[in-house]
Amino acid sequence: MKKVAFYTLGCKVNQYETEAMLELFEKEGYEKAETEDYADVYVINTCTVTHMSDRKSRQYIRRMKKKNPDAIIAVVGCYSQVSPEEILSIDEVNLVMGTNDRKKIVEEVKKIDASRKVSTVDDIMKVKAFEEIEINKTNGKTRAFMKIQDGCDRYCSYCIIPYARGRVRSRDLESIVKEVESLAANGYKEVVLTGIHVASYGKDIKDSDIKLLDVIKQINDIDGIERIRLSSVEPILFTDEFVEAVSSMDKVCPHYHLSLQSGCDETLKRMKRRYTTEEYKTIVDRLRANIPNVSITTDVIVGFPGETSEEFDKTYEFLKDIELTHMHVFKYSPRKGTPAATMENQVDPSTKHDRSEKLLQLNEENFNKFGQKMLDKEFNVLFEQKVGDNKYEGLTENYVKVIVESDKDITEQILKVKITNVKNEFLEGILV
């Protein structure tokens, strides 16, 4: 039996697509190998958000070939899509596929051997239909990621992804429901709706009023699924109508990752983001007013070209004021092919580091404040893994990590927990 190993960089969409491609290989008789093990085929599912992502992909390609010089190295994903010639020129690479036609990966692998080089990358901007590639199982047994949308038409000035993923394409609603029903039948309790720009779901479906809210409503009615979660979304999605609807659905988790990127309006304009800090705060207030214990997380970029100390101070004060549960802080990294890469007044690495450290400290303070509000209260926790002697880790509905002690194996169960202590990155509790 031949073996296949996957190495995945980047976002939840890539993770989903890796699981889907793995199922295709397994249906053809391949056995899954771990990323560092010997395999006949190595698939590197790439990210291209930053030049560091590209470099990691190249490093892994070379490392895998050393494990088995006769292995076929297949490189897929966003980096492949925007730089196919560059990847094909790497000696160790045999097959290059982009962000479309992944259903054909096993077929393409079978056509070649370790001495050949093939690229199937085509113009992603001409692709109009969502590629149906589904999963019935994932590596975990609790949460399943569900890709419902691909492509992006926002063209933020720092982002290469619209060029790697193409135009907005929405998955057929009937197909989504069918896959969720299959996952529920296989024991999954939580589904995470993901995509490149999830808020755009339905935009491309002609003669139809179907939107993301319709997807959520249909999944909410599926037996077996106990939690519905959204991946990163633009804040403008959260109209009064949307918030009222999701707050009335018992399975929708009270956690939203609202992408911010900057708390300064001048910086947001250069980023070509389509909202202001005032609009963002209005949405945060709307969610908090309508959804008890709601947790709001975000992404922030520091050191964007032209970001002065005054602009950063505005970001800091804005984030200090709204007290989000958690922030993913990124130091701006120029990405060739984007407008921001050629902007004037690039910020030096030392300044980016200092600003990042300041926000990370604020992040710790904000998490502590949110955790204190959860103390002595009871929450349902979906336990995912054992993390030590009689210790188990899980997530609350509002996406806060909780660790408890138990003499019994409680993985894959949703249990009530009373929160007893707040740590830097998680909460401690006791089973009720």
Side-chain angles (χ1 to χ4, degrees):
M1 182 180 289
K2 288 189 174 182
K3 294 185 176 182
V4 59
F6 280 82
Y7 182 74
T8 307
L9 294 100
C11 64
K12 298 294 190 293
V13 172
N14 271 14
Q15 293 177 32
Y16 174 91
E17 291 168 348
T18 287
E19 296 287 352
M21 287 186 285
L22 174 59
E23 280 200 25
L24 294 175
F25 274 99
E26 289 177 333
K27 287 176 182 176
E28 292 296 319
Y30 284 77
E31 179 183 347
K32 178 192 173 186
E34 297 304 317
T35 54
E36 297 295 335
D37 293 343
Y38 177 97
D40 301 282
V41 179
Y42 292 97
V43 181
I44 295 89
N45 194 357
T46 62
C47 172
T48 194
V49 168
T50 68
H51 68 278
M52 287 297 294
S53 303
D54 294 350
R55 190 166 81 176
K56 284 182 181 179
S57 297
R58 294 192 297 270
Q59 289 172 342
Y60 199 82
I61 289 166
R62 296 187 172 103
R63 194 194 323 169
M64 290 305 96
K65 197 69 169 181
K66 290 178 182 177
K67 293 187 177 296
N68 179 8
D70 295 323
I72 291 174
I73 305 293
V75 186
V76 304
C78 292
Y79 181 25
S80 298
Q81 184 65 51
V82 298
S83 305
E85 297 86 2
E86 182 179 316
I87 293 178
L88 199 63
S89 69
I90 299 173
D91 291 341
E92 292 85 352
V93 173
N94 303 112
L95 174 64
V96 181
M97 301 182 75
T99 55
N100 194 48
D101 282 343
R102 266 75 50 85
K103 289 184 82 168
K104 298 179 181 178
I105 187 168
V106 182
E107 176 186 332
E108 294 294 337
V109 164
K110 286 183 174 181
K111 289 180 184 177
I112 62 176
D113 57 41
S115 65
R116 292 187 59 201
K117 285 179 167 288
V118 176
S119 173
T120 66
V121 178
D122 53 12
D123 186 353
I124 195 64
M125 295 300 176
K126 294 181 179 179
V127 178
K128 298 180 180 180
F130 181 91
E131 182 183 14
E132 291 285 347
I133 180 169
E134 64 182 31
I135 59 173
N136 293 293
K137 61 183 181 62
T138 66
N139 285 333
K141 276 290 287 182
T142 54
R143 267 191 302 160
F145 294 104
M146 158 77 65
K147 181 184 171 187
I148 66 168
Q149 179 273 340
D150 209 335
C152 181
D153 62 0
R154 310 312 268 180
Y155 291 96
C156 299
S157 63
Y158 55 83
C159 187
I160 196 70
I161 297 306
Y163 307 95
R165 288 285 178 169
R167 62 174 65 189
V168 171
R169 284 109 63 205
S170 302
R171 186 173 181 176
D172 180 71
L173 181 54
E174 185 177 334
S175 170
I176 295 172
V177 171
K178 180 182 176 183
E179 184 172 332
V180 175
E181 288 174 340
S182 176
L183 289 166
N186 283 314
Y188 294 95
K189 294 179 172 63
E190 180 177 315
V191 61
V192 184
L193 303 181
T194 189
I196 299 303
H197 193 262
V198 178
S200 292
Y201 181 88
K203 183 178 179 179
D204 58 311
I205 303 176
K206 294 181 179 180
D207 304 319
S208 172
D209 292 327
I210 292 177
K211 296 291 185 289
L212 178 60
L213 193 56
D214 299 292
V215 177
I216 298 171
K217 287 176 179 177
Q218 293 243 12
I219 296 175
N220 194 68
D221 292 334
I222 295 176
D223 291 336
I225 295 298
E226 297 184 43
R227 291 182 172 184
I228 304 167
R229 204 181 291 282
L230 296 180
S231 63
S232 178
V233 286
E234 264 199 327
I236 56 174
L237 171 70
F238 293 90
T239 61
D240 285 324
E241 177 194 7
F242 189 93
V243 173
E244 182 181 354
V246 294
S247 64
S248 67
M249 288 185 263
D250 59 334
K251 296 181 182 179
V252 178
C253 291
H255 163 248
Y256 298 99
H257 189 82
L258 308 186
S259 184
L260 174 64
Q261 307 305 356
S262 175
C264 170
D265 289 332
E266 292 88 347
T267 311
L268 287 173
K269 284 181 181 178
R270 292 198 302 280
M271 289 178 168
K272 295 194 181 302
R273 301 294 287 179
R274 304 188 187 193
Y275 49 82
T276 65
T277 52
E278 183 179 354
E279 290 170 332
Y280 189 95
K281 186 177 186 304
T282 297
I283 290 160
V284 169
D285 291 341
R286 181 179 297 150
L287 286 166
R288 286 173 172 167
N290 289 276
I291 303 175
N293 299 312
V294 67
S295 170
I296 301 170
T297 56
T298 198
D299 299 315
V300 183
I301 297 174
V302 296
F304 188 75
E307 184 186 63
T308 63
S309 58
E310 291 79 14
E311 287 185 354
F312 173 74
D313 287 344
K314 288 181 181 179
T315 290
Y316 182 87
E317 292 302 324
F318 180 74
L319 290 165
K320 184 178 180 180
D321 178 52
I322 60 175
E323 294 184 358
L324 302 182
T325 310
H326 184 78
M327 301 180 289
H328 296 286
V329 182
F330 300 93
K331 289 174 274 194
Y332 171 73
S333 175
R335 185 60 181 84
K336 184 180 178 182
T338 63
T342 58
M343 285 181 178
E344 296 180 351
N345 301 317
Q346 297 283 328
V347 179
D348 66 272
S350 176
T351 301
K352 292 178 189 177
H353 173 78
D354 291 345
R355 292 175 182 175
S356 174
E357 290 299 306
K358 191 172 181 180
L359 284 188
L360 289 172
Q361 177 61 41
L362 177 62
N363 182 55
E364 197 172 302
E365 294 169 8
N366 285 343
F367 177 79
N368 186 269
K369 289 178 181 178
F370 189 83
Q372 293 294 330
K373 295 174 184 176
M374 296 176 68
L375 273 178
D376 299 322
K377 294 180 181 178
E378 296 179 0
F379 294 88
N380 292 320
V381 176
L382 175 54
F383 288 96
E384 299 186 333
Q385 61 181 337
K386 189 174 183 180
V387 292
D389 292 340
N390 297 329
K391 289 189 175 182
Y392 294 85
E393 177 187 292
L395 290 171
T396 61
E397 291 163 313
N398 58 358
Y399 206 68
V400 178
K401 187 188 300 182
V402 176
I403 293 178
V404 304
E405 289 191 7
S406 174
D407 294 332
K408 298 179 180 179
D409 185 350
I410 56 174
T411 53
E412 303 176 19
Q413 297 181 51
I414 295 178
L415 300 172
K416 195 169 289 297
V417 172
K418 182 178 181 180
I419 304 302
T420 58
N421 195 19
V422 182
K423 295 289 189 177
N424 286 343
E425 296 286 337
F426 62 93
L427 306 179
E428 292 178 329
I430 54 173
L431 295 172
V432 177

